[in-house]
């Protein structure tokens, strides 16, 4: 039989996550979450049962005449105290999955959080190479933005005939330019994250070796982006879109050689 009293006590007197707690006591996560929400469990705020079950030790406590609790009526915290803000406020307004994330993040150091953001940003930059790749100078695309039909005219299937269609065109050089601008912003963000991490991380942190490698690649990418932007600005001013894309391709090929 599930000992819910024990589970609640463990939850409220530790920093265990709901997921770990469910696995430990072999109960369904959804059942545990429902029980928690229904009974108002809060981490860091022990239940009366948990308090009463705690062993009492003789000789403990403040001496007679102590003024520690002056102004604190009814055993509650003094007016203005914010002991429960970090748990109570979140528990009252945030969904359970958000609370789970907060509990896990509370166990991480600022350096760990910045490191994870570095990995996410670096992954996004690499992934964008495939998603935003421009094949060649003829890699144009167009999207239908609006369609107008005439209800008085019908095709063989009985549907209204399309009499007008508007499309939005994206030329290859425009796609490449948008890609380079997006990459430049992403690289700048990554560079700032790395600077924050280096300033915060411990000197013996093994991840600094990976940071040095990333820095070298970032400098290379930034230099390439500066060259491309310079060439793009020159050609765009003359309206030579095809030559603009060709120059971008040439710069990339030279860098790979």
């Amino acid at each position: 039989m599930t000992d819910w009293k024990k589970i609640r006590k463990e939850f409220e007197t530790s920093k265990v996550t709901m997921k770990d707690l469910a696995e430990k006591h072999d109960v369904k996560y959804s059942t545990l979450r429902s029980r928690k929400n229904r009974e108002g469990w809060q981490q860091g705020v022990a239940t009366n049962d948990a308090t009463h079950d705690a062993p009492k030790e003789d000789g403990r406590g403040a001496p007679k005449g102590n003024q520690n609790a002056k102004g604190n009526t009814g055993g509650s915290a003094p007016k203005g105290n914010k002991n429960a803000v970090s748990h109570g406020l979140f528990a009252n307004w945030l969904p359970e999955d958000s609370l789970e994330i907060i509990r896990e993040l509370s166990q991480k150091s600022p350096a760990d959080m910045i490191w994870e953001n570095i990995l996410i940003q670096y992954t996004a930059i690499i992934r964008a190479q495939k998603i935003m790749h421009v094949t060649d100078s003829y890699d144009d695309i167009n999207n239908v933005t609006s369609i107008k039909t005439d209800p008085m005219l019908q095709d063989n299937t009985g549907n209204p005939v399309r009499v007008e269609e508007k499309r939005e065109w994206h030329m290859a050089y425009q796609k490449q330019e948008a890609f380079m601008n997006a990459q430049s912003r992403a690289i700048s963000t990554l560079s700032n994250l790395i600077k924050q991490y280096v300033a915060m991380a411990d000197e013996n942190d093994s991840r600094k070796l990976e940071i040095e490698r990333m820095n070298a690649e970032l400098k290379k990418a930034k230099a390439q982006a500066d060259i491309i932007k310079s060439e793009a600005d020159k050609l765009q001013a003359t309206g030579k879109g095809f030559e603009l894309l060709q120059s971008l391709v040439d710069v990339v090929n030279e860098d790979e050689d």
Side-chain angles (χ1 to χ4, degrees):
M1 183 175 179
T2 304
D3 189 345
W4 289 107
K5 181 179 177 181
K6 178 181 178 181
I7 295 174
R8 177 173 182 174
K9 180 178 179 180
E10 182 176 350
F11 175 78
E12 294 190 330
T13 57
S14 69
K15 292 184 178 180
V16 64
T17 65
M18 292 283 287
K19 181 180 179 181
D20 291 341
L21 194 62
E23 292 178 354
K24 178 179 179 180
H25 293 278
D26 194 24
V27 296
K28 291 183 178 180
Y29 177 82
S30 58
T31 302
L32 179 63
R33 181 178 60 184
S34 176
R35 188 106 180 187
K36 168 190 169 297
N37 293 336
R38 185 170 66 252
E39 298 180 358
W41 301 2
Q42 294 183 20
Q43 280 191 318
V45 184
T47 62
N48 290 334
D49 288 339
T51 303
H52 293 163
D53 289 343
K56 296 182 179 179
E57 299 182 22
D58 294 336
R60 298 272 181 166
K64 185 177 181 179
N66 184 276
Q67 301 292 310
N68 290 346
K70 186 176 181 180
N72 182 3
T73 60
S76 59
K79 184 178 180 180
N81 183 279
K82 298 183 179 181
N83 291 342
V85 168
S86 60
H87 297 286
L89 180 62
F90 289 159
N92 289 335
W93 298 103
L94 296 182
E96 181 58 35
D97 53 352
S98 296
L99 290 173
E100 283 296 307
I101 294 173
I102 289 175
R103 292 188 191 104
E104 292 185 18
L105 288 178
S106 66
Q107 300 174 21
K108 295 179 180 292
S109 70
D112 288 335
M113 286 187 268
I114 292 178
W115 173 253
E116 289 177 356
N117 275 277
I118 287 173
L119 296 181
I120 292 172
Q121 184 72 4
Y122 193 44
T123 300
I125 290 173
I126 296 174
R127 188 165 180 262
Q129 302 288 335
K130 180 178 181 180
I131 295 175
M132 302 182 72
H133 176 66
V134 179
T135 306
D136 53 37
S137 304
Y138 303 97
D139 188 12
D140 305 330
I141 61 171
N142 65 86
N143 302 311
V144 177
T145 58
S146 66
I147 298 174
K148 184 178 180 180
T149 60
D150 188 342
M152 301 300 293
L153 301 175
Q154 297 183 344
D155 58 20
N156 295 332
T157 61
N159 294 319
V161 173
R162 182 181 302 184
V163 296
E164 184 180 310
E165 179 180 277
K166 292 184 179 180
R167 291 179 174 269
E168 183 179 70
W169 288 83
H170 298 276
M171 309 303 290
Y173 75 90
Q174 293 174 320
K175 291 166 56 181
Q176 182 71 14
E177 183 182 16
F179 170 57
M180 294 308 302
N181 287 334
Q183 285 290 76
S184 294
R185 292 192 297 271
I187 289 173
S188 295
T189 300
L190 179 58
S191 180
N192 289 333
L193 286 171
I194 288 176
K195 289 178 182 178
Q196 293 178 49
Y197 180 81
V198 170
M200 189 178 298
D202 186 88
E203 287 297 327
N204 298 321
D205 195 324
S206 60
R207 292 174 291 193
K208 283 196 170 184
L209 294 176
E210 183 67 12
I211 286 292
E212 291 178 4
R213 184 183 68 81
M214 288 185 186
N215 259 328
E217 294 186 4
L218 279 178
K219 289 178 180 178
K220 178 181 177 181
K222 189 176 185 306
Q224 178 180 320
D226 290 341
I227 294 173
I228 291 176
K229 187 176 186 306
S230 177
E231 291 296 321
D233 290 342
K234 292 177 184 177
L235 291 173
Q236 193 170 33
T238 62
K240 298 179 179 180
F242 183 85
E243 293 182 22
L244 167 59
L245 180 58
Q246 192 58 52
S247 69
L248 299 181
V249 173
D250 291 342
V251 171
V252 172
N253 289 338
E254 288 175 5
D255 183 73
E256 290 178 349
D257 292 340

